[in-house]
Amino acid sequence: MKPTNLHHVATAHAFIEALFPAGTTLPAPDAGSLLNEVESWCARQGGLGRGLDALLTVLDARFFLGHRQRFANAPLSERQQFLESLTGIQGSLLQGLSVPFRMALLQDEGVLARLNVPNGVRVPADIERARWRQQITDAGSLEGDDTLEADVVIIGTGAGGAAAALELASQGLAVVVLEEGRYHDRRDFTGRLTEMIPLLYRAMGLTATIGNTVIPVPIGRNVGGTTTINSGTAMAAPPETLARWRALGLRELTDAEMAPYNAEVMEILQVQKADPRYVGEIGNVIRDGANRIGFVQTHDLPRNAVGCDGQGLCQFGCPTDAKQSTNVSYMPRALDAGAFLFTGFKATELLRNGTTIEGVKAEGKTAAGKPVTLTVRARATIVAMGSFLSPVFLMRNGIRLPQLGRQLSIHPAGAVLAHFPDRTFDHSRRIPQGFGVADLAAEGLMFEGGTIPLIGHGMMNPMAGAPYTRFVENYQHTAYFGFMIRDTSRGRVRPGPHPDFPFISYWMNQTDLALFKRGVRELSRMYLAAGAKEVWIPGLRKMGSVRNEQALDAYLNKARSPRDFTITAYHPLGTCQMGVNEKYGVTDSSHQVFGTKGLYVMDGSSVPGPLGVNPQVSIMALATRGARKLGMVLSKN
Ligand SMILES: Cc1cc2nc3c(=O)[nH]c(=O)nc-3n(C[C@H](O)[C@H](O)[C@H](O)COP(=O)(O)OP(=O)(O)OC[C@H]3O[C@@H](n4cnc5c(N)ncnc54)[C@H](O)[C@@H]3O)c2cc1C
């Protein structure tokens, strides 16, 4: 049965034809089957159908004003010219309208085959059932409310929560861990993005900051948290970062204090350099370009993915279990050491007795869809929900501290693309982030990158019509590389309209914009020095294109706003940061929340400021340290 949901089917049909004309290797897609695919999504998500219908009406009306005929009745060339001419707000509306149609195109079996992109991976029918899995209880398997007693209850199984769980369970304490997401293993990691994003990401990966630009900052919801969807780069915080922490008054955080914790984390994560075979051609291009412009610190990145065979799917659940995200490293070890994990339970309420916190209540759903409450009474409660949700949870539970939710840093990240007609990057068979250039690390600029899935390539640009088809066709000949900056801007997190969408404000300041532009400039220079035919600089409004350094300088001189670039971020930190007192922080250096007893924060939110390197190792090291000290106190009493 055809799942008809859209009212403006003829306009949608005409829109698809104009948006995706035939190219050299890609034929024009069958508009009817793309529309069927989009309509099947609309049938599942009523809001999507209504939104698309509204945008199709606007498109038709706007076209009618200029052409005195309906969009669907106009000749193809006229429709294409019209789409290519839309800029500003109208361009943004076109972008919004094209999203589901692009997604359908970029997952079409025929398109994938022609671009030599595998669609998904073969998953094992069964895997060995380890003993620790008996320690996992899902809300769906409970029949009614329950109450448990523990020494420690931990909320969240990401970098911070899982590391704390292993440490405390290893000390012989009774540990209960709550996770809102579900436990998945590699039988679930099919590599098909339309299945993996709803399974592993919170809010379909649409969490974002709002300020002088919009910055998407995706986070995970599953056992493993954001580590299940991260890129696997594993680096300890450099000595300069620790020196900055000490300058804030956190004097205990010396190199000698942190070194053993970092070493423990590196061992558990089995960190080693990326295998150059799977870094691939992008490593050669960047090394060559970097050396030609005078950089020398090029390197295969240290990663927590021993035996990785470069399937390009780190951010969608590692299909081989090579990546040591906490779902395969810390959590199994914690459960083996006796911790209990409850999945599908969302912590909602702290149990309070005056200023003492005595545990937490969590809500889930039984298999029959009935609400079920799990109450965990504990001597210590560790909040590890990540930098967006930990502060909001504390606010909703009556914690009032001046720095709560403030001091958000995110390591804004940029990407630059380049066309190398004679090189093939083979994106889907490489490590997504396997190579780095560290010459400007001390100035807060780190270059890291590798590859991108086809869907990312085809979604992150404002093109339409023939230029879009050409761009998609060039996927395997397009280099992708990125950088991130150690930001000085600070954002703020507050409760939002929906629990999954806290209100996150972040305004990029001029210092950071200048550093960001430097990142774009140096990366573009690397490409040009390596022989790129054309360099593309993605922006929210347009995709800049330069072919030489003069054009690059002219382009960057004109770019004055963060909106002139496409900025993303992956490392939110600091919203419950450690500090010497409550004027400067939310917790003390042992992670205890100021003004409370028995309440701790151990995740990215407790990290005091941006690190300048990828954060998972530091979050795990700090959480291990905090949990070790807490465990020693609890064991004595
Ligand atoms: C695409 C991407 C790539 C990245 N690549 C890298 C990389 O290469 N290297 C690196 O070091 N870092 C990387 N990161 C960042 C890194 O993974 C995170 O910084 C880290 O996982 C954060 O740890 P956390 O403990 O603060 O939170 P998370 O890992 O986000 O864990 C929080 C957990 O708490 C759960 N939770 C939240 N609210 C509740 C509730 N009410 N009840 C129960 N459970 C709840 C969530 O579901 C989640 O599982 C990347 C991030 C992304 C998005």
Side-chain angles (χ1 to χ4, degrees), residues 158-160 179-180 202 218 222 225-226 230-233 345 347 604 614-616:
E179 169 57 55
E180 187 184 342
R202 186 173 293 272
N222 60 78
T226 309
N230 79 16
S231 308
T233 306
F345 274 105
N614 315 60
Q616 63 175 344

Side-chain angles (χ1 to χ4, degrees), residues 299-545:
H299 59 126
D300 297 321
L301 287 172
R303 307 187 72 237
N304 60 347
V306 65
C308 161
D309 62 355
Q311 297 201 31
L313 289 167
C314 308
Q315 295 103 355
F316 307 99
C318 176
T320 60
D321 277 354
K323 191 183 76 176
Q324 295 298 296
S325 37
T326 58
N327 55 323
V328 300
S329 55
Y330 276 94
M331 281 316 297
R333 285 174 173 83
L335 300 175
D336 246 342
F340 291 94
L341 169 60
F342 289 82
T343 57
F345 274 105
K346 176 178 177 140
T348 49
E349 191 188 328
L350 289 172
L351 306 178
R352 266 174 176 275
N353 180 2
T355 54
T356 304
I357 303 303
E358 297 182 333
V360 67
K361 253 190 199 167
E363 310 288 337
K365 288 227 165 97
T366 64
K370 236 180 71 204
V372 59
T373 303
L374 183 68
T375 305
V376 189
R377 301 203 159 275
R379 294 197 283 155
T381 301
I382 299 178
V383 175
M385 304 175 182
S387 294
F388 292 154
L389 299 175
S390 288
V392 170
F393 176 76
L394 294 180
M395 285 173 205
R396 289 198 192 278
N397 277 281
I399 304 294
R400 303 274 175 266
L401 288 164
Q403 295 301 336
L404 185 59
R406 294 177 191 263
Q407 305 303 337
L408 170 72
S409 62
I410 57 173
H411 284 161
V416 181
L417 295 57
H419 187 204
F420 289 86
D422 302 327
R423 299 200 190 225
T424 300
F425 292 96
D426 216 358
H427 292 293
S428 2
R429 294 173 186 84
R430 299 287 174 255
I431 298 169
Q433 188 166 282
F435 199 74
V437 182
D439 291 73
L440 300 178
E443 292 166 54
L445 191 49
M446 283 284 264
F447 298 94
E448 289 177 353
T451 64
I452 190 163
L454 175 66
I455 200 157
H457 175 75
M459 298 299 286
M460 278 202 321
N461 66 73
M463 297 174 180
Y468 180 74
T469 304
R470 240 186 342 267
F471 182 78
V472 172
E473 285 180 332
N474 277 325
Y475 173 56
Q476 299 291 17
H477 306 291
T478 303
Y480 265 86
F481 212 75
F483 63 87
M484 64 179 179
I485 62 167
R486 192 179 61 227
D487 43 346
T488 56
S489 316
R490 291 292 179 270
R492 188 172 176 188
V493 181
R494 279 169 276 194
H498 182 277
D500 282 348
F501 288 108
F503 182 63
I504 312 165
S505 55
Y506 183 92
W507 295 72
M508 183 184 261
N509 65 29
Q510 286 300 318
T511 310
D512 290 348
L513 181 59
L515 188 59
F516 191 93
K517 283 168 74 170
R518 178 134 190 242
V520 173
R521 183 165 190 277
E522 300 303 345
L523 188 46
S524 305
R525 289 181 66 224
M526 288 182 217
Y527 283 140
L528 291 170
K533 186 172 163 215
E534 186 173 6
V535 171
W536 287 302
I537 302 170
L540 280 192
R541 294 179 277 225
K542 66 172 186 177
M543 180 84 106
S545 157

